[in-house]
């Protein structure tokens, strides 16, 4: 190999490496904050509605994982304490435009359904400082607690083949028996959120 060819080949390798890194970063950015895409596996047995909400029949539902830790305001929270209620889990970040758009919808529907045995819990992820999360909650008047999960470890606890969160925002509805019943990847309108929660309220 001539001395003149070696630098050119090295430069091409560097460009290829940088391109691959850029592609990976772009994919990560899409999963971090966007509409997402429905996933899961053949074992999930979910039915996808026209509104993008995936639902699971009671007999096919899997238990939700253990989700506990410190909230954005420094309190301890264990989602298991809400067993017997319908629990709505919303994965969000203060940097996320779709999360900002859906925040008032969640606040309104939470207030409407709280007396019917529904508890909302946020999972704040990828915010590097709690103040970013609490400022968001204050600004958008979020009336329910959020677990602080900057590294996304709580999202990884959802079982393989379940309706697991795959985007920010994602919303998971858990039935009164603590099983994963529905999921949406992407922001929700008030009507879509009600459509997700109302059938679970009626279940006994």
């Amino acid at each position: 190999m001539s001395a003149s060819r070696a630098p050119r080949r090295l430069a091409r390798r560097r460009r290829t490496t940088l391109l691959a890194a850029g592609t990976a970063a772009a994919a990560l950015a899409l999963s971090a904050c966007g509409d997402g895409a429905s996933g899961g596996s053949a074992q999930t047995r979910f039915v996808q509605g026209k509104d993008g909400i995936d639902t699971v029949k009671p007999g096919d539902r899997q238990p939700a994982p253990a989700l506990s830790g410190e909230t954005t305001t420094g309190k301890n929270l264990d989602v298991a304490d809400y067993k017997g209620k319908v629990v709505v889990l919303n994965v969000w970040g203060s940097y996320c435009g779709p999360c900002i758009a859906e925040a008032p919808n969640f606040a309104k529907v939470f207030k409407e359904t709280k007396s019917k045995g529904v508890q909302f819990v946020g999972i704040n992820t990828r915010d590097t400082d709690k103040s970013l999360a609490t400022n968001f909650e204050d600004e958008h008047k979020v009336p329910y607690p959020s677990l602080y999960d900057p590294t996304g470890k709580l999202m990884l606890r959802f079982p393989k083949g379940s309706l697991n969160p795959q985007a920010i925002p994602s919303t998971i509805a858990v039935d009164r028996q603590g099983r994963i019943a529905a999921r949406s990847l992407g922001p929700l309108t008030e009507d879509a959120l009600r459509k997700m929660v109302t059938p679970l309220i009626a279940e006994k």
Side-chain angles (χ1 to χ4, degrees):
M1 182 188 300
S2 68
S4 61
R5 290 180 181 177
R8 287 198 295 271
R9 290 192 178 183
L10 183 57
R12 283 197 297 270
R13 287 177 187 170
R14 285 176 177 171
R15 283 196 296 271
T16 301
T17 301
L18 288 172
L19 179 61
T23 302
L28 180 60
L30 286 172
S31 66
C33 186
D35 290 342
S38 183
S41 75
Q43 300 174 348
T44 306
R45 298 182 182 178
F46 63 76
V47 176
Q48 186 175 51
K50 293 180 180 179
D51 51 11
I53 297 174
D54 304 324
T55 58
V56 187
K57 293 179 180 180
D60 294 329
R61 294 173 187 170
Q62 296 188 43
L67 299 171
S68 63
E70 195 172 89
T71 68
T72 55
T73 58
K75 298 178 181 178
N76 291 321
L77 187 152
D78 189 340
V79 174
D81 291 340
Y82 298 125
K83 191 170 183 179
K85 293 186 175 185
V86 175
V87 178
V88 178
L89 302 167
N90 178 243
V91 180
W92 64 278
S94 67
Y95 48 84
C96 173
C99 301
I100 295 169
E102 72 176 4
N105 305 331
F106 276 71
K108 185 172 182 179
V109 176
F110 168 69
K111 291 174 182 177
E112 291 176 359
T113 59
K114 185 178 180 181
S115 63
K116 299 176 183 179
V118 180
Q119 176 63 49
F120 281 41
V121 177
I123 300 177
N124 172 259
T125 190
R126 299 190 187 178
D127 273 325
T128 55
D129 192 282
K130 283 184 180 178
S131 65
L132 297 171
T134 55
N135 288 341
F136 178 100
E137 291 171 323
D138 290 342
E139 181 178 353
H140 299 288
K141 298 179 174 61
V142 178
Y144 50 84
S146 285
L147 289 163
Y148 182 59
D149 184 33
T151 61
K153 64 181 180 181
L154 294 180
M155 296 174 68
L156 297 177
R157 291 184 184 178
F158 283 79
K160 184 179 180 181
S162 72
L163 291 179
N164 56 316
Q166 299 176 10
I168 303 170
S170 288
T171 302
I172 309 290
V174 178
D175 67 17
R176 298 181 191 275
Q177 285 71 49
R179 302 171 302 181
I180 301 169
R183 177 192 66 183
S184 174
L185 302 177
L188 286 171
T189 63
E190 286 180 37
D191 288 343
L193 185 53
R194 290 189 190 101
K195 186 174 181 179
M196 174 185 277
V197 175
T198 299
L200 299 179
I201 294 174
E203 292 180 1
K204 301 298 181 184

